[in-house]
Amino acid sequence: MSETINVTRSALPPFEEYCEEIRGIWDSRWLTNMGEKHQALEKALEDYLGVRNVSLLTNGHLALENILEAFELHGEIITSPFTFASTTHAIVRCGCTPVFCDIDPVSYTIDPDKIEALITDRTVAILPIHVYGNLCDTDALERIAKKHGLRLIYDAAHSFGVRKNGVSSACFGDASMFSFHATKVFHTIEGGALCYADDGLRQKISDLKNFGIHGPEEVPFVGGNAKMNEFCAAMGLCELRHLDTWIAQRRSVAEHYRARLDGVPGLKLNAPQAGVESNYAYFPVVFDGCKYSRDEVFDRLGRQNIVARKYFYPITNSFDCYRGRPGFDPERTPIAKYMAERVLTLPLYPELSLEDVDRICDIILQ
Ligand SMILES: *Cc1c(COP(=O)(O)O)cnc(C)c1O
């Protein structure tokens, strides 16, 4: 039996490079609480992403919860269910109500034409998701948010390094959340970030991620603990040196898939977006009108030790934990439901060999 190919494999810097990066932590004994590595990574990411402010957090999920708290949002938040559990859970855990908008079938991102019908006098924000490295229609979303006085916060977990006409995905809306989980294009083992233009937000996020403590005797906010530690920040500093190479390797894997699978009847590949430089985070294939269903292909790949992922399936408005809640109904987002039942993301990571891509494609094409 051939070796297992997982849907992803975390990229790592050379072992010695990481050891060198963390040497100073032994000398200083400063392990967390916004030390030297934490500060250096924030600066490095501000440069890399071309955004005014980066705040680092424990993970992407807590970054989302922290930004919802920082904006003191109470009410309805328009979002889409074609996402990872985190987006919807963050809204609910912060005491807000998600209102689900359907997606565009080409980009898999929220359909701006369907948003305004969902706005009520309780709507406080829009929380769209950049899916698979595709960007949302940021111009349309900006217009709608401005017109109705709504906050615009992006779940940009999939879009690290993506640029639209040269502008990074960190620069849209009031704030963008990135996840630096081990499985993402850029990672810090676990980690996350908030990116935003408003300098006035910086102190508040900094307080919120550290128990709401502002000074030794001053606690203005009911904060939690969401600080990124020094070892994770050190990993990020190493990763950043290799990232462009890794994205280029991802690109050649994605192009090989495309060369093999494009134009095959019943298979729909992700359409590249005009003016968008992708990070090749995922390679989704939609099985629609194909002889075999998505689930049959998934099982067949699994029997050959190839682990693809039904991502995103199920959609968040059909989760067990939300059963019976008003508004949580996949029938109201039919395109998201349709896509979720047919999409499969194929293995994609920098070290994946083109021979393995061929093996995967051969099974799909059989
Ligand atoms: C990974 C991910 C998250 C959560 O990020 P963590 O760092 O794992 O907490 C949120 N949203 C999306 C779309 C993601 O892919």
Side-chain angles (χ1 to χ4, degrees), residues 59-61 83-84 86-87 129 155 157-158 177 179 181 184 191 311:
N59 55 52
H61 180 81
T83 184
F84 185 57
S86 172
T87 325
I129 303 101
D155 180 332
H158 284 194
M177 173 282 275
S179 164
H181 182 256
K184 305 296 206 265
Y311 193 56

